[in-house]
Amino acid sequence: MMNTKFWLLFPAFGLLFMAGSQAQTPIQDRAVVAQQERMVFKQWDEDRFLPGPNRFLGIPTNSNWYLTWALHPNYPKLDRRPLSARGEQTQRMGLAVATKISSDYYNQQTDTIRNLATREMARISGAFSSADPLYVLYYKKELSPLENIEAQAFQHHSAQVKAYLEENGAYAWYLENMKSLAERYGFAKTQDMERGQRILMYHRILLDLRKLQSDWDRKLALSQKMLAFRQSIQVSQKRNLLEQTDQSEDILADILKKRILLR
């Protein structure tokens, strides 16, 4: 029984032994090792170029040297390491650093131009005109009558004044001029222009609005006076009519008395 188990496990031990054994015999070539070390991390040492020439009276006597270096006699004198001071990899890294510096510079310039363009757009754009500090603090309040014309036309005035101004055409004149100013005001708020130009437009509109409102207030005052004058005339006419009626009644009474006495 033990022999049977041994022969069954013997192939397994054989496979493990074969797997642990090396298929190839490593070869340590000093020249190859020196070249690898030289190209990767060590100094470019001309004395470590193997096989050596073994010179006799200045003449190389090593045949292996002839097979390896005879066709490249200047190779040991040239540093071919990629990471040397003039190596290809060093040059690529330097070029990459220079490219990054140049790219960062152009990115900075682009960001500067973008920020300037953004600030310039925000400064002249009509979309941000309502956020102007001078507009918010002063012109928005002063020009508010242009945003609701009809509601503010007859504030603190009676319906008789409104009807009188509608009859004589003054109200139509007022609406036409106010709508013209409101159109100019909307244009000043929405169009793209320099901030100074926009503020000047606000100020011109404000001056025209004040002149128009002054004329309108004068018309309202005259209309109130006219209505009051009309009312006083009507009252006086009624009074005169009553007086005339009383006089007529007195005359008729006298006539009747005389007739009665004559009879």
Side-chain angles (χ1 to χ4, degrees):
M1 187 67 179
M2 293 295 294
N3 293 331
T4 303
K5 292 182 178 180
F6 175 78
W7 289 110
L8 290 175
L9 296 176
F10 182 77
F13 286 113
L15 292 174
L16 291 175
F17 178 76
M18 292 175 63
S21 63
Q22 295 181 354
Q24 296 179 354
T25 303
I27 299 175
Q28 296 293 334
D29 192 337
R30 294 176 58 205
V32 174
V33 173
Q35 178 68 7
Q36 292 174 349
E37 293 177 351
R38 195 165 40 241
M39 293 294 291
V40 175
F41 64 92
K42 290 192 175 182
Q43 294 295 325
W44 191 267
D45 190 358
E46 297 184 11
D47 296 333
R48 287 182 57 87
F49 280 85
L50 302 174
N54 298 332
R55 301 179 184 274
F56 179 74
L57 298 179
I59 301 173
T61 59
N62 190 352
S63 60
N64 291 329
W65 182 88
Y66 281 101
L67 293 174
T68 306
W69 306 112
L71 298 177
H72 309 283
N74 294 325
Y75 184 82
K77 298 178 181 180
L78 302 175
D79 193 346
R80 301 297 181 90
R81 291 176 300 166
L83 294 175
S84 65
R86 298 182 179 179
E88 296 178 356
Q89 186 63 20
T90 303
Q91 293 179 7
R92 283 193 291 267
M93 292 172 62
L95 181 61
V97 172
T99 304
K100 185 177 183 303
I101 294 173
S102 178
S103 178
D104 292 341
Y105 172 77
Y106 285 119
N107 287 334
Q108 183 180 3
Q109 293 296 321
T110 304
D111 293 340
T112 302
I113 295 173
R114 181 191 62 187
N115 294 334
L116 289 175
T118 302
R119 288 197 295 268
E120 184 69 14
M121 189 63 187
R123 187 174 67 87
I124 69 174
S125 177
F128 304 99
S129 62
S130 59
D132 187 274
L134 184 57
Y135 171 77
V136 173
L137 294 175
Y138 181 72
Y139 286 104
K140 183 177 182 180
K141 180 181 178 181
E142 296 295 326
L143 297 175
S144 59
L146 296 176
E147 297 179 354
N148 195 0
I149 299 173
E150 297 180 358
Q152 298 185 6
F154 296 99
Q155 284 186 340
H156 311 295
H157 291 86
S158 63
Q160 291 80 5
V161 174
K162 181 178 180 181
Y164 176 77
L165 291 175
E166 287 178 347
E167 289 176 1
N168 60 25
Y171 183 52
W173 167 84
Y174 174 75
L175 287 180
E176 181 180 358
N177 286 275
M178 286 292 286
K179 288 180 179 178
S180 176
L181 290 178
E183 184 177 357
R184 289 170 55 191
Y185 180 46
F187 177 81
K189 287 196 299 182
T190 57
Q191 294 299 314
D192 297 339
M193 66 182 71
E194 293 287 338
R195 179 177 180 271
Q197 183 179 0
R198 195 187 307 277
I199 296 301
L200 287 176
M201 288 189 67
Y202 287 155
H203 196 70
R204 293 191 190 101
I205 294 170
L206 178 60
L207 294 178
D208 294 340
L209 176 62
R210 287 177 176 175
K211 184 177 182 301
L212 179 60
Q213 285 183 329
S214 177
D215 295 340
W216 179 244
D217 292 338
R218 190 180 302 110
K219 291 181 183 297
L220 290 172
L222 291 175
S223 299
Q224 288 180 338
K225 291 180 180 179
M226 182 60 67
L227 291 174
F229 179 70
R230 279 186 178 182
Q231 187 176 4
S232 64
I233 289 177
Q234 290 176 357
V235 171
S236 64
Q237 286 179 350
K238 288 181 180 179
R239 187 179 299 168
N240 292 332
L241 182 61
L242 291 175
E243 291 177 355
Q244 290 177 0
T245 303
D246 292 339
Q247 290 177 0
S248 299
E249 290 178 353
D250 293 339
I251 293 171
L252 289 175
D254 292 338
I255 293 172
L256 289 175
K257 285 181 180 180
K258 288 179 181 181
R259 286 184 180 182
I260 291 171
L261 292 173
L262 288 173
R263 289 180 181 177

